[in-house]
Amino acid sequence: MTDGFPAPVAVANVPLAATVTRVAELAGKLGHDQGEVFDLRRLSEASGVPADVVKNLLEGRPTGEPDLQTRFLQRLDLLRRTRVKPNGRRYTQQEIADGAGMSRQQAGALINGDRRPTMEHCDAIQRFFGVHAGFLAAHDADALTDALLRTEQQLLQDFAGRERQTAAAQASTGDPLARLLQNHGVRGIAWRAAQLPSDKHRDKVTEWLDMLLESVKPTES
């Protein structure tokens, strides 16, 4: 398969593995197709990592790690192919140079691999193409993890929206637990929790929610 990945398996990189697991679970809860969520072409365009490397990373295979200049050239080429002008044409070297605030000679040397990029070069070109910080320089596994974290945030927003609709429907029947969820936005905490710095912090939020929900369960008569 070249354009989709049916299901994540043994991912070697620990942060990437944890993110893949969370995204897969969320996609399952929402009923999304795993092949679409882990679409190789989409993840490649979002991360800058070549699609074959994305596939190997998700399969837990060793991929090696290109040096900074190689990563830069791979990802800049991807940007020029996928982030095009409204007329569908690629940006010229002069347009990139003007947009990034450098000379045409500088831009040409970077694009042709005749000059090693600095972080300043990367930042300027990233701003021109409207991509996130680190797109041109991050290690492959880190870049893929970042792309999947953005996928996770979107899925969490979708999940929170669905849960709000369910809570609103249940609240109309007089369910006190549903009213709590609706009035205090408890489900919205899930989206915020995804942005916490570690699983340890997210576990604390889960523990707190479990205690809160347990405290408002209706007593059996």
Side-chain angles (χ1 to χ4, degrees):
M1 181 176 294
T2 58
D3 294 331
F5 192 78
V9 291
V11 181
N13 180 276
V14 174
L16 176 58
T19 305
V20 166
T21 298
R22 293 196 307 272
V23 169
E25 289 176 351
L26 268 173
K29 290 178 180 179
L30 288 165
H32 292 344
D33 180 77
Q34 298 282 331
E36 293 180 1
V37 174
F38 292 96
D39 180 77
L40 300 181
R41 182 177 299 173
R42 182 187 66 80
L43 288 175
S44 176
E45 291 185 6
S47 65
V49 179
D52 59 328
V53 178
V54 171
K55 187 174 188 295
N56 286 335
L57 285 169
L58 291 176
E59 292 178 344
R61 297 176 183 171
T63 60
E65 184 63 51
D67 62 23
L68 173 60
Q69 187 168 16
T70 301
R71 291 198 302 273
F72 174 85
L73 291 173
Q74 287 177 342
R75 296 179 192 180
L76 180 55
D77 178 68
L78 183 145
L79 285 178
R80 297 187 73 198
R81 286 186 288 105
T82 60
R83 275 71 163 181
V84 295
K85 294 186 287 189
N87 62 9
R89 295 182 179 178
R90 295 187 183 191
Y91 288 98
T92 65
Q93 288 187 8
Q94 186 64 63
E95 289 168 332
I96 294 172
D98 292 341
M102 60 181 70
S103 70
R104 182 176 180 177
Q105 289 73 22
Q106 282 182 308
L110 290 167
I111 291 169
N112 295 325
D114 297 327
R115 179 172 182 172
R116 289 183 61 83
T118 65
M119 289 299 103
E120 289 76 14
H121 292 142
C122 292
D123 289 342
I125 294 173
Q126 285 161 181
R127 286 194 299 271
F128 171 73
F129 281 103
V131 293
H132 60 276
F135 186 96
L136 289 168
H139 291 286
D140 286 343
D142 294 336
L144 180 56
T145 300
D146 287 344
L148 285 169
L149 284 172
R150 291 189 292 277
T151 297
E152 181 183 24
Q153 289 184 356
Q154 183 58 58
L155 291 175
L156 281 167
Q157 291 182 54
D158 295 344
F159 184 72
R162 178 180 295 185
E163 290 295 302
R164 283 195 297 271
Q165 291 178 350
T166 301
Q170 291 176 340
S172 66
T173 67
D175 183 341
L177 176 56
R179 284 200 302 273
L180 175 69
L181 296 178
Q182 182 186 34
N183 295 338
H184 297 279
V186 175
R187 295 296 185 182
I189 295 174
W191 182 82
R192 295 181 180 87
Q195 301 178 68
L196 293 173
S198 69
D199 288 336
K200 181 179 179 181
H201 292 86
R202 284 185 283 270
D203 289 342
K204 286 292 185 182
V205 173
T206 301
E207 181 182 347
W208 176 80
L209 279 174
D210 286 341
M211 290 190 298
L212 175 62
L213 296 177
E214 185 68 28
S215 70
V216 297
K217 279 185 178 179
T219 57
E220 295 183 359
S221 55

